[in-house]
Amino acid sequence: MHTDNDAYCRALAFIRRPHALLIDGSWQVAQAGASLETFDPSSGEPIGRIACADASDVDMAVGAARNAFAGWRATKPNLRRDLLLSIADAIDAHAEELAYIEAIEAGKIFAKVRAVEVPNASSMFRYYAGWCDKIHGTTHRSSAPGDKLAFVLREPVGVVAQILPWNFPLGMAAMKLAPGLAAGCVSVLKPAEETSLSALRLGELMLGAGLPAGVVNIVTGRGGETGAALVAHPGIDKVAFTGSTATGRAIIAAAGPNLTRMSLELGGKAPNIVCADADLDEVVPASTYGQFFNGGQNCLAVSRMLVHASRHDEMVERLAAAAADFRVGGWDDAQADMGPLVSARQLDRVMDYVRIGREEGAAVVTGGERMARPGFFMAPTVLAGCTDDMRVVREEIFGPVVAIQTFSDTDEAIERVNGHQYGLSGAVWTQNLSLAQRFIQELRLGTVSINAPMAGDRDLPLGGFRQSGWGRENGVEGLSLYLEAKTVVMTSL
Ligand code: NAD
């Protein structure tokens, strides 16, 4: 079906060729010559190799970024805007090819990546292009003695290390690069080792669109080596990270001594609160999608369902039926609702949680098995009879597993949600406006959605309370992460 498609052939040729590091506007081999394999999760087979940058490669990339900073921060806002728009156009012009690369390497459904994720990436560049010439400071009348004029300038933070996870590789690259570039920052980007290829292709497209040398550098490799060297580098002014809470802590420990600025988008365990009056005809399909979309490898996945006790049995039965119907397929299955997990390691990790859930007393109502086919496939899984002390409730599983629990009154539900280590997002289903208001005001979550599962929105802040991280990405808050305030006070002569 795809073999006579030009974009598919270009994507395959790109995947298979040797890959280098983007440093100072050119593609350079890793100095130690190390590389690692990358896989097609739909077949489980290796498909290519990426370079493994070590500390000396990272040092060169940071140096190149630092050299480029003065020029990029001085670039007129309208020129920065035009460049971001050109990058967006280049993504759109290569959308099909990028979608193949992303779908094959990340185990995503090609049709969905082409229809949604690639257009989201270009629209992220367009959105922040719009901010380039609207980054304003403020002026103030000082109350201090004397006749002073005070104003505040908004200046780029400097050289930023941007570390990506593997669940939305292209989208996350756009989400980090676009606001940084708009603010006048320069980047060293480190994609996840499982999914580096779409970022490398994006790097080529950005150079083709006219990005000056050194403004974006891309280093690939393992987290513990390439990532660790990057975040500890004293030449980094800010780290922007999305990934696990454990790695977030390691980054704080490594970058803390340099007092490097940090934004961290870490784990989530989004509660999906189904009140007694909820319309299950809406809740069931939306929650099935909200949990199992992208194989549940989504920090916003509604993976902890809190159902009012009066609706529990009906909910379990209907959600289990919907999960069993959720179609699982390889990247080229246009009818599939979700693909495989990203790696054998992630599949093992998720299957381990199913085992732990069983041992803790949860009932596997549907799924709970690897699928009998090549690749890293697992059936959508519903665990019932879960309680707050179970690890399948306390921890982020990041796979197609939902844990169902009950609650009996509103205060109890709010307390239990606010007592969880994660506070990224959550959903509430009710027809009662007063009840909805109560949840909105009292839930300590970065995002609360009413009668809808949460989906990321480029224009709206994304981030969480408690161990879900520091700072907010997307929207104008995402831009602010890349800006410093400089106060100027002028005395009249
Ligand atoms: P991870 O946090 O280890 O990896 C994310 C990124 O951090 C990768 O680019 C990796 O190379 C890099 N990294 C790893 N160690 C590093 C270090 N010491 N210094 C600097 N960078 C480092 O995630 P993982 O092990 O691939 O996944 C484990 C779990 O993390 C998942 O099961 C899931 O629960 C969670 N996760 C969350 C998100 C999210 O969007 N919040 C994304 C991916 C993974």
Side-chain angles (χ1 to χ4, degrees):
M1 160 195 165
H2 299 276
T3 43
D4 55 355
N5 178 316
D6 275 357
Y8 173 72
C9 297
R10 282 199 306 277
L12 262 198
F14 178 81
I15 289 169
R16 287 175 180 158
R17 78 179 202 220
H19 293 285
L21 311 170
L22 176 57
I23 298 178
D24 205 15
S26 67
W27 296 94
Q28 304 189 17
V29 292
Q31 290 179 67
S35 66
L36 61 103
E37 268 180 331
T38 186
F39 291 83
D40 168 1
S42 300
S43 67
E45 297 297 323
I47 47 170
R49 299 194 77 83
I50 56 164
C52 260
D54 65 13
S56 60
D57 300 306
V58 166
D59 190 50
M60 282 175 52
V62 175
R66 180 127 323 266
N67 288 340
F69 179 49
W72 184 245
R73 71 179 282 220
T75 300
K76 297 276 188 211
N78 62 327
L79 299 180
R80 267 192 231 150
R81 175 201 63 204
D82 291 349
L83 182 68
L84 264 64
L85 290 174
S86 300
I87 293 171
D89 290 345
I91 293 172
D92 287 345
H94 296 82
E96 190 113 337
E97 181 194 339
L98 283 166
Y100 277 115
I101 295 170
E102 184 92 334
I104 293 170
E105 190 188 37
K108 289 168 177 280
I109 307 305
F110 168 78
K112 294 188 193 309
V113 182
R114 175 66 189 89
V116 180
E117 292 184 35
V118 177
N120 279 350
S122 58
S123 93
M124 188 67 82
F125 279 96
R126 289 205 174 85
Y127 173 78
Y128 283 107
W131 275 111
C132 290
D133 52 7
K134 296 168 196 71
I135 299 174
H136 304 302
T138 49
T139 56
H140 302 256
R141 266 191 66 208
S142 170
S143 303
D147 189 11
K148 294 196 182 84
L149 170 67
F151 51 96
V152 178
L153 301 172
R154 305 278 281 161
E155 298 196 347
V157 170
V159 179
V160 297
Q162 298 174 317
I163 302 193
L164 307 181
W166 38 257
N167 52 341
F168 296 98
L170 185 67
M172 291 277 182
M175 186 174 168
K176 299 251 182 306
L177 288 171
L181 292 172
C185 291
V186 293
S187 297
V188 181
L189 184 81
K190 198 207 97 49
E193 44 272 57
E194 296 85 351
T195 55
S196 293
L197 297 176
S198 56
L200 292 171
R201 185 69 183 109
L202 177 63
E204 290 184 344
L205 295 176
M206 289 193 294
L207 291 181
L211 188 79
V215 171
V216 173
N217 305 273
I218 304 178
V219 290
T220 52
R222 294 191 177 85
E225 186 180 11
T226 315
L230 181 58
V231 296
H233 198 292
I236 295 295
D237 297 303
K238 172 192 160 56
V239 174
F241 169 73
T242 300
S244 65
T245 303
T247 300
R249 286 202 189 93
I251 290 175
I252 293 168
N258 296 328
L259 296 179
T260 310
R261 277 110 183 86
M262 257 178 256
S263 49
L264 306 168
E265 206 266 272
L266 307 177
K269 188 81 185 179
N272 198 18
I273 303 170
V274 182
C275 298
D277 67 340
D279 177 354
L280 295 202
D281 288 343
E282 288 185 9
V283 176
V284 172
S287 302
T288 307
Y289 183 79
Q291 167 50 32
F292 298 120
F293 154 72
N294 209 42
Q297 301 166 114
N298 174 9
C299 52
L300 304 172
V302 280
S303 55
R304 178 191 185 195
M305 184 170 262
L306 277 158
V307 192
H308 191 271
S310 63
R311 310 297 299 276
H312 172 264
D313 294 354
E314 187 188 355
M315 187 72 224
V316 171
E317 190 183 320
R318 292 183 62 174
L319 193 68
D325 274 355
F326 206 72
R327 184 177 161 125
V328 184
W331 68 263
D332 57 350
D333 180 346
Q335 307 308 317
D337 298 306
M338 68 175 238
L341 298 190
V342 74
S343 63
R345 185 174 74 117
Q346 190 63 9
L347 176 58
D348 287 345
R349 189 184 278 144
V350 177
M351 286 304 304
D352 214 35
Y353 271 112
V354 174
R355 179 190 57 75
I356 291 165
R358 279 197 173 103
E359 285 171 11
E360 287 176 324
V364 178
V365 186
T366 186
E369 304 293 338
R370 289 170 192 236
M371 296 175 77
R373 56 182 289 177
F376 312 135
F377 291 93
M378 174 179 175
T381 299
V382 176
L383 303 181
C386 299
T387 51
D388 286 5
D389 55 335
M390 292 181 178
R391 283 185 62 195
V392 290
V393 170
R394 286 189 284 123
E395 297 173 18
E396 181 178 52
I397 297 178
F398 228 62
V401 181
V402 61
I404 305 189
Q405 307 184 256
T406 56
F407 72 95
S408 16
D409 75 39
T410 305
D411 285 344
E412 175 211 336
I414 291 169
E415 195 182 315
R416 285 168 60 195
V417 168
N418 290 346
H420 198 278
Q421 64 166 328
Y422 292 123
L424 187 61
S425 63
V428 179
W429 299 86
T430 179
Q431 309 294 315
N432 179 334
L433 266 183
S434 312
L435 191 55
Q437 282 292 342
R438 174 98 202 280
F439 277 111
I440 291 167
Q441 284 170 31
E442 297 200 19
L443 289 178
R444 305 273 295 158
L445 301 172
T447 300
V448 177
S449 41
I450 304 296
N451 294 329
M454 169 60 183
D457 186 325
R458 182 199 61 196
D459 305 4
L460 301 174
L462 171 74
F465 287 57
R466 302 186 291 283
Q467 306 217 3
S468 290
W470 293 348
R472 297 289 183 271
E473 294 188 289
N474 287 349
V476 67
E477 281 85 354
L479 184 70
S480 304
L481 296 175
Y482 293 95
L483 293 166
E484 293 270 24
K486 180 190 277 178
T487 299
V488 182
V489 181
M490 287 181 71
T491 306
S492 309
L493 295 174

